[in-house]
Amino acid sequence: MNDTYQKLLIEVKEIVGSIELSKDEKLKNICVLLNEKISYYDWVGFYFAVPEEKVLHLGPYSGPVTDHTVIPFGKGICGQVAVSNETFLVDDVTAQDNYIACSITVKSEIVVPLFVNGVNIGQIDIDSNTIKAFNSVDQMFLEAVNIEVAKLFN
């Protein structure tokens, strides 16, 4: 990970460790931080699983308003990650048959599962208006972010 990501990870740790903020405020602040500090992170949000209903519910986010507040397991990139438990990096959303279009401006997406005690409780979802925006460094960084975020649920 480069210096920018290392510094952002330190900021994420500080947000997670804050005693003044609620869990939702911490999640929102993390979304805003990533959305503002990484130029190609155009929408950053968390979705949380409701396993008994087999859906994801939108949690805190930063970026344009989305109509996708509930996503069925298996539907779209987020829904697929809820089932696969694996990071999904999409270079070009138009090449995905099972993509749920959030905005015509979105060109690529990365979704990283959020594990707490070995259980996938949700995910961080990042949309970019740049094609092929994400790479393995973004994946490593977001996986590290989710390790910190998981501490909010223990």
Side-chain angles (χ1 to χ4, degrees):
M1 252 187 292
N2 66 31
D3 282 351
T4 300
Y5 289 115
Q6 293 287 359
K7 288 175 185 169
L8 285 173
L9 192 55
I10 290 167
E11 289 187 61
V12 167
K13 289 177 182 182
E14 289 170 356
I15 292 168
V16 167
S18 170
I19 58 173
E20 294 90 27
L21 301 174
S22 71
K23 184 191 314 181
D24 278 353
E25 289 171 327
K26 291 175 184 183
L27 293 169
K28 175 72 172 184
N29 286 356
I30 290 167
C31 292
V32 170
L33 174 72
L34 300 182
N35 185 226
E36 288 180 353
K37 298 289 184 173
I38 302 176
S39 63
Y40 55 94
Y41 283 24
D42 295 303
W43 189 94
V44 179
F46 288 97
Y47 281 93
F48 292 100
V50 182
E52 57 277 6
E53 297 175 20
K54 295 195 186 276
V55 296
L56 297 162
H57 282 268
L58 179 63
Y61 70 93
S62 178
V65 173
T66 179
D67 292 335
H68 300 112
T69 58
V70 179
I71 299 175
F73 283 14
K75 182 92 170 118
I77 308 308
C78 291
Q80 290 178 72
V81 169
V83 174
S84 73
N85 297 320
E86 295 179 3
T87 296
F88 199 150
L89 195 153
V90 180
D91 287 336
D92 179 358
V93 297
T94 63
Q96 291 294 316
D97 291 339
N98 195 9
Y99 175 69
I100 300 172
C102 295
S103 165
I104 59 168
T105 61
V106 174
K107 304 290 187 234
S108 57
E109 181 175 14
I110 186 169
V111 179
V112 179
L114 173 60
F115 294 100
V116 176
N117 301 319
V119 176
N120 181 353
I121 67 153
Q123 55 207 227
I124 190 168
D125 176 22
I126 319 270
D127 292 341
S128 180
N129 299 338
T130 304
I131 200 155
K132 295 183 182 177
F134 308 107
N135 59 38
S136 61
V137 177
D138 293 288
Q139 181 175 339
M140 286 185 334
F141 168 65
L142 293 169
E143 287 170 354
V145 166
N146 273 358
I147 288 169
E148 295 306 315
V149 168
K151 295 173 183 175
L152 296 172
F153 296 88
N154 285 329

